[in-house]
Amino acid sequence: MRHDPSRLTTRGWNGYSASDHRAFRYTTPKLRLTAADLDATPLLHARAIHIICSPTRCRELVTDILSRRRRSARDSDGSYSRPFIIWEPVPDRCVPDELLNCTNALPLVDICSPNHAELAGFMGSDGLDPATGEISAAAVERSCEQLLASMPLQSYTLVVRAGEKGCYIAKNGGRKRVSAAKSKSGGHAKPRKKEYVQGGLRPDTDMEALFAGLMQDEEGVVAREEIEVDPGIEKWIPAYYRREEESGSTKVVDPTGGGNTFLGGLAVALARGRTIEEACAWGSVAASFAIEQVGVPVLGVDEHGNETWNGVRVEERLWEFQGRLL
C-alpha cells in the first residue's frame, strides 16, 4: 500500500528482562496508516479490523473508516455491513490522563484488548503482584471491574492479554447493540435524529433527554422496544503454553509477536461467527505458534497434503486445546 523502496516497513526493537518485562523502542520513523489508505482496496471491506493507536485516534479512525465504508457501499449499490473493530491501545497512551478518552472510545469498538500492563497503566498501577513481581490476576480483574462499572448503560467487552496467565474476558451486562436488520424488522419508520442534551449536569438538565442521547446508536436512532439485557462475562482463558509447576520450564522461546498473533486469531474467529470465548481460544492457539521459536513459524505440508506450522496442523492443536477447556 505504501510504495517506497527505501522504507519498506516501520522497524522497532524488543527487549525482555529476566522476569519477562518488555522494553520497546522504534528504530525508524513510524509509518502511520490512515483510513484514506484503505480506499480502493479490499481492506476497506474487511470483516474484522484490528487497530493499534491512542484512544483519541481510535475514535477518529473508526469514525472515518465506517464513513468511507458506507460511502463505498452506496457508490457501488452494495449493502453496508459493520466490521468487528478490535482496538489495542498503544502503550505510551495507557496512562491515567487518558482514561476518560479510553471510555469515550469504547462505544465505537467491539473489543478493547490491552495487555495487563496497558490496562494497569490506565489505572495508575503496574498490574503486578508486589510479593512476586509476576502478573496479578486479581489486579487484572479489579481494573476491568472498575473500568466497566463506570459505564453501565451499554455492554462493552475487554479482552486483557496477560502472558502465561492467558487472557481475561470481561464483558459488563447492559444494553445489547441491536443490528440494523433487527431494528427495522418491525416495520416502523426510522426516527429522525434529534439533538439531545449533551455535556455536564445542571439543575435544569432534562434527564430524560440526556439519557436518550446516551442511548442513541451510531445513526442517531434511540432504541426502545429493542433493548435486550446482556448478562456479561467474567472468564479466564488459559494460555496454550503454561509454565511447568515442578521445573518452572516453559516451551515459550520468544514472546515477540504473541499479542498481535493472538488478536489475529481472535479476529478471524469473530469474523466466522464464533463466540468471544471460542475466539479467545483461537487466539491462544495462534499465539502459541508465534512464540515457540524466534521469528515466524515454519510453513510446511504433511504426508496428506495438509498445511502445517512447525510440523503441526493448526486444526489439531485447536481441537486439543478446546478439549482442555471442557
Side-chain angles (χ1 to χ4, degrees):
M1 294 170 61
R2 289 179 180 267
H3 303 285
D4 184 347
S6 66
R7 292 284 309 287
L8 298 182
T9 184
T10 298
R11 296 181 180 272
W13 172 88
N14 265 327
Y16 297 91
S17 68
S19 56
D20 289 338
H21 295 317
R22 179 189 180 212
F24 174 82
R25 68 171 182 269
Y26 288 105
T27 57
T28 64
K30 288 188 289 186
L31 295 175
R32 171 171 283 192
L33 291 173
T34 68
D37 292 313
L38 304 182
D39 286 343
T41 75
L43 295 177
L44 181 61
H45 300 284
R47 295 167 67 183
I49 297 176
H50 169 208
I51 58 177
I52 309 174
C53 57
S54 69
T56 300
R57 189 157 187 261
C58 172
R59 297 180 65 190
E60 296 170 353
L61 272 176
V62 172
T63 301
D64 199 1
I65 289 172
L66 297 184
S67 175
R68 291 172 183 274
R69 194 170 170 121
R70 289 193 192 91
R71 184 165 59 248
S72 175
R74 184 173 62 249
D75 293 345
S76 62
D77 295 325
S79 60
Y80 167 77
S81 62
R82 191 184 191 282
F84 285 100
I85 303 290
I86 301 169
W87 171 44
E88 180 181 351
V90 69
D92 61 357
R93 290 295 182 270
C94 294
V95 294
D97 286 347
E98 288 287 329
L99 182 57
L100 179 58
N101 289 330
C102 174
T103 60
N104 288 335
L106 287 180
L108 297 179
V109 303
D110 295 281
I111 293 174
C112 173
S113 183
N115 65 25
H116 69 282
E118 292 157 356
L119 175 65
F122 280 123
M123 302 301 175
S125 68
D126 59 12
L128 302 178
D129 185 327
T132 64
E134 297 180 350
I135 298 171
S136 170
V140 170
E141 295 172 12
R142 183 170 59 251
S143 295
C144 287
E145 182 179 7
Q146 291 172 345
L147 179 56
L148 295 181
S150 67
M151 306 183 69
L153 294 179
Q154 192 162 305
S155 184
Y156 304 99
T157 303
L158 303 176
V159 175
V160 183
R161 294 164 285 115
E164 65 180 27
K165 291 188 180 297
C167 70
Y168 182 64
I169 307 170
K171 182 178 182 182
N172 63 336
R175 181 175 66 88
K176 284 185 178 179
R177 289 178 178 170
V178 181
S179 66
K182 184 173 181 180
S183 64
K184 294 177 182 178
S185 62
H188 301 293
K190 179 179 177 180
R192 186 175 66 180
K193 183 173 181 178
K194 298 180 180 180
E195 296 299 326
Y196 291 106
V197 175
Q198 303 287 339
L201 296 179
R202 300 184 301 274
D204 60 344
T205 295
D206 183 340
M207 296 302 293
E208 181 178 356
L210 173 63
F211 279 94
L214 292 173
M215 297 293 280
Q216 288 184 90
D217 65 15
E218 59 190 27
E219 295 182 347
V221 178
V222 178
R224 298 186 187 279
E225 295 83 1
E226 300 90 345
I227 292 176
E228 298 177 3
V229 176
D230 190 321
I233 302 172
E234 295 176 348
K235 185 174 184 179
W236 280 95
I237 302 293
Y240 182 82
Y241 284 129
R242 305 296 297 271
R243 190 177 298 276
E244 299 292 338
E245 293 185 5
E246 294 183 0
S247 64
S249 64
T250 177
K251 293 184 179 179
V252 175
V253 175
D254 180 4
T256 303
N260 285 336
T261 310
F262 173 91
L263 291 176
L266 180 140
V268 170
L270 291 176
R272 294 184 181 180
R274 300 303 195 272
T275 66
I276 185 61
E277 294 99 324
E278 292 171 325
C280 286
W282 283 44
S284 293
V285 169
S288 72
F289 286 101
I291 63 180
E292 60 189 12
Q293 73 285 308
V294 175
V296 298
V298 176
L299 181 64
V301 178
D302 66 15
E303 64 273 17
H304 302 294
N306 299 309
E307 179 180 295
T308 63
W309 291 2
N310 294 341
V312 179
R313 289 186 61 195
V314 176
E315 297 92 333
E316 291 180 353
R317 184 171 289 187
L318 177 61
W319 296 333
E320 181 265 323
F321 185 58
Q322 289 173 327
R324 278 196 250 160
L325 300 179
L326 295 178

